Amino acid sequence: MKFHQRTPFVLAILRPVRPLLIKTFQSIQRWLKERDIRRRSRVEEMSSREQLEEFFDTLRAYDPGLPMIRLGGQGDGGYVVPDDLDGLAACISPGVSTVADFELALAGRGVPSFMADASVDAAPADHPLFDFEPTFVGTEDAPGWTTLESWLRRKAPDTGDLLLQMDIEGAEWPVLGAVDRETLLRFRMIVLELHDVHKVFLRSGLDEVGQVLRKLLDDFEMVHVHANNNLQPVRRHGYEVPPVLEMTLLRKDRVRRRTPVDKLPHPLDVRNNAFVPELVLAPYWYA
């Protein structure tokens, strides 16, 4: 019997123990992340409870007075955003990888997308509103690399609001830390997949993450946040920090009403991994 013929039989055997396997895998994930924090704590200063409390006090999610919609797929590649897309000049999408559901949804509303990713040879889908460059977005211009500012000057429309959708596997922290305010203000909306968020338990990580988020929140409101359940939270000082978060920010001049969000996940949120329970963020992440 060939392997593909045995697959239903194997799945039937594993089905009763799948919850136990998932729980075991999650425990291993958490242990590895926490071990990494402990290992680094031997040479790096750890964040205190008071410093973490101050950090979380800066995070507030607000209902912007606009309907929320889901753009993209029902798992990874889909995001909850305000329905404030009319008149957007373009989407800027570094780190597109092999999924373009978000960009295809925008194309359906007439919004072109400029994509960049050197890990793939071409855009994930062929569409007349797609422009693709096989390059990475970083903090300097070099062979195979471009800064966000240089890319916008080269490709983006000169006028009109833009949307930034960024998923660059941890490089978002230095890129956003280096980008100038004038460039950021070109974006009406910023949709991020934030990686290695659990590094806030290290003082150096907390400084980097806190600096970037404070910079963004000077001109944008956080209107949605969702934990990616592919990696389990790391725990310390009474706080749970998912290593990967999805975050949507809306420029403050687009906010119609600033009402605090008092409950998450949002009804439009979808588990990134359908086989793993949803991660429910504690209120200190948004309220």
Side-chain angles (χ1 to χ4, degrees):
M1 184 183 294
K2 295 182 179 179
F3 177 77
H4 72 275
Q5 294 172 318
R6 295 197 303 266
T7 300
F9 176 71
V10 173
L11 292 176
I13 293 176
L14 292 178
R15 188 172 293 113
V17 298
R18 188 170 69 182
L20 177 61
L21 292 174
I22 290 174
K23 189 173 182 179
T24 301
F25 180 65
Q26 290 175 336
S27 298
I28 293 171
Q29 281 183 330
R30 179 180 289 119
W31 179 79
L32 289 172
K33 293 290 184 183
E34 291 176 347
R35 186 187 67 167
D36 181 60
I37 292 293
R38 288 194 300 270
R39 179 182 58 81
R40 294 174 63 181
S41 71
R42 298 170 190 162
V43 294
E44 295 186 49
E45 182 183 355
M46 298 295 290
S47 302
S48 68
R49 179 188 293 273
E50 292 72 24
Q51 289 164 341
L52 290 166
E53 183 177 355
E54 182 179 353
F55 165 74
F56 283 109
D57 279 346
T58 67
L59 296 179
R60 294 290 181 273
Y62 293 98
D63 176 348
L66 294 159
M68 301 296 284
I69 59 174
R70 185 175 183 85
L71 282 182
Q74 290 301 303
D76 278 337
Y79 298 93
V80 176
V81 303
D83 190 2
D84 190 19
L85 308 177
D86 290 347
L88 282 176
C91 169
I92 306 301
S93 184
V96 65
S97 187
T98 59
V99 178
D101 294 343
F102 186 85
E103 294 83 359
L104 284 169
L106 287 172
R109 298 184 63 154
V111 180
S113 287
F114 294 88
M115 307 175 187
D117 195 334
S119 71
V120 292
D121 296 327
D126 186 24
H127 196 284
L129 292 180
F130 287 176
D131 180 281
F132 175 82
E133 282 192 33
T135 188
F136 289 124
V137 173
T139 58
E140 61 180 17
D141 292 311
W145 292 83
T146 182
T147 63
L148 191 59
E149 291 93 336
S150 295
W151 188 25
L152 293 185
R153 285 194 298 268
R154 191 168 65 252
K155 290 287 188 175
D158 293 332
T159 59
D161 283 345
L162 306 173
L163 185 156
L164 175 64
Q165 194 275 307
M166 179 181 285
D167 181 1
I168 52 176
E169 304 300 325
E172 63 273 9
W173 301 113
V175 168
L176 291 171
V179 71
D180 61 68
R181 182 170 182 249
E182 182 181 1
T183 298
L184 285 177
L185 287 173
R186 287 223 54 197
F187 297 107
R188 178 187 301 179
M189 194 181 305
I190 298 177
V191 182
L192 301 171
E193 183 152 295
L194 299 171
H195 300 80
D196 301 322
V197 187
H198 64 293
K199 66 183 177 182
V200 297
F201 291 127
L202 297 166
R203 182 58 192 272
S204 59
L206 181 64
D207 288 344
E208 182 181 33
V209 172
Q211 178 187 10
V212 169
L213 291 183
R214 285 192 298 272
K215 177 180 182 177
L216 293 173
L217 294 174
D218 280 344
D219 295 299
F220 295 82
E221 296 288 7
M222 181 171 73
V223 295
H224 185 65
V225 61
H226 176 249
N228 185 316
N229 68 340
N230 276 302
L231 292 174
Q232 292 299 294
V234 178
R235 299 168 179 167
R236 192 174 179 87
H237 290 318
Y239 290 102
E240 283 196 345
V241 177
V244 183
L245 282 174
E246 299 165 352
M247 184 177 291
T248 304
L249 302 146
L250 184 67
R251 205 173 59 217
K252 288 182 176 180
D253 65 298
R254 306 296 299 189
V255 174
R256 296 181 184 176
R257 183 184 67 239
R258 198 169 179 265
T259 305
V261 170
D262 59 6
K263 185 179 180 182
L264 288 173
H266 191 277
L268 295 175
D269 277 323
V270 177
R271 289 177 291 171
N272 299 77
N273 187 335
F275 299 104
V276 179
E278 179 73 281
L279 293 182
V280 179
L281 290 172
Y284 49 77
W285 273 107
Y286 59 86

